[in-house]
Amino acid sequence: MPDDPPAERPPFDRIGRRRALGLIGTGVFGLLGGCYGPDGLLDRSVPGEPLSVSIKSLPADADTRALRIARFLAENLTAVGVDATVVPTRRETLMRDVLVNQQFDVYVAPFPERTDPDFLRPLFHSRYAETAGWYNPFGFEDGDVDSLLELQRRQRGDQRRQTLATIQEQLSRAQPLSVVAFVDELRALSSSVALGYDANDVHSKLGYLTLSPAELDTRPDQAVRPATETTGTPERTETTGAPERTETTGTPERTETSDGADAIRMTLTDKRALKNLNPLSATARGDGVVTSLLYDSLGQRIDGRVRPWLADSWTWSGELPVDGTLDVSIREDATWHDGTDLDANDVAFTYRFLSDTSMGALEDPVPAPRFSGRASLLTDVEELDNTTVRLAFDSVSRAVAREALTVPVLPAHVWESRASEALAGGIDTEETLTEAVVWANRDPVGSGPLQFRRLQPQERLVLSPFEDHFLADATATHLRPFAGGVAYDGLTFRRAPSSEAAISLIKNGDAEGTGLGIAPSSIPTIGRDPSLNLSVTPTRTFYHVGYNARRPPFDDPAFRRLVARLLDKGYFADEVFEGYGDPAASPLARTDSLAPSLAWNQRDPATPFFGENGRLDTDRAREAFRDAGYRYTDEGELVVT
């Protein structure tokens, strides 16, 4: 506790953007408890005193795996003389604490799946240390890493892979976060639905667009195999092509749902998507799949490449990474769900808005908590005519530049009014906060293949096909699997409090599948029921332990490396992930950009565990802390230096 607590604020004093975001995260203001130092961070580490550390994690009912990792780490920290406490924290609060306020010592959480390795740039570059969202929440600063992160965006091929390898090796030495394991997503599906194009990833935009009632599917082989009663890892399946959608003259009879629509019904164990539909929110969005169905982007990743989607075509000019431009032609028949035409003004507005949601009205820019990293790849956007925009890039390769095409395009006539200052609870947040950042957007207007129909907050979201979507008449080869639109009359997402509850809904005929993953412990239940199938999807989502490098002793890379060696990742893969996850030492482990020196080979190549089979060698670990210059009290407590 600081000797002199900060002066009490007047009730209507201006507050900083980070603190305001943390207060407003769920749409209401709350009180922040605890003792804070001059930098606003929880003051738990006083030089000369025994070290006290809190580890934040989701509670067991939200994520058992994260909590078990946190408890394992806390037990081992305690064994080496650190007063470690696990703090189970509900999902929205945890995301606010980590991604907005940076009020944490250590946290354990999954990192959402990303595609191009350029995601490392906003995640670790020092310029993003004061940006809300998955933008360097660790406060990590390293000039050499910054330079390499900038360099890799200009490169391609082997040259880029070599730079990315060097970045990974430097990050492994600095350990701003410790990658634990990449996970396989497990889902239960009713035999009444058939998978389509993205069969290995049901819970994805392309996966949902090609779901269909089983009676409509004429493919000889199902991409999802029946589950068998087992506790081991099932064989992973891969698809090598997109099945061609077949035409039908009628829709088979389906049970009418309480939503009043013939819908495919999916469960979600994360209720955030059922009360906030703002695609820009970092705390309310996990994977962003639900909002991706409502909002289209200029390009869509298909078969590993970003291809024209809302854009009809695009043409490169100049040579990247210097003075490169991209002329994008927008589909002439594109419309918003409210009937308004979608044009070049909306696209230009989107990129400017993502970079600064205040549109220049506030003293400092307020970038969008999500997607502003991709928008930052642009140096300018220009409307050439009503359906054409010119995007200008500086010092990026074409592969990286294409990532900027995957941001959701927003309707200017809806969002421009959200650029004003956010006023809530009588607190003036002018110059620091915009309504766009805190808006729940519970009546969204997008241009996506599905449109909003109804929301019962925290319980149910109902979407329906957008009849005027361009996919209805799509002819391009890469769009063929999606041509004609969806094969159902509606898509409903329903809240399920647990894996068991979600499976029960499917067994009872009240749902067709689990949108988010289920626990491995549920596999035997699926295997015993012939009406259920098991889907196993290897993902690029990885669990990690994050450290707050803004405060001691986590500002010391040597200390972070020692803490990382208290984690037995191989043990976690077997016992925590039950064989449905791969231990890893790099955030690029499941990509072809993985540094060879960080490939997993029976042990952690960067921070090997102080022990074996989940058992810590306490004496060895303590000796390592002493060798690093840390000292102990006579009672065996590790002292802050």
Side-chain angles (χ1 to χ4, degrees), residues 42-62:
L42 189 62
D43 192 359
R44 297 170 55 88
S45 303
V46 181
E49 295 293 325
L51 177 60
S52 179
V53 171
S54 69
I55 305 172
K56 293 188 176 182
S57 168
L58 294 171
D61 61 350

Side-chain angles (χ1 to χ4, degrees), residues 413-432:
H413 67 284
V414 173
W415 286 82
E416 57 191 356
S417 64
R418 300 294 172 174
S420 59
E421 60 180 285
L423 297 175
I427 296 181
D428 180 7
T429 59
E430 187 180 4
E431 300 180 356
T432 59

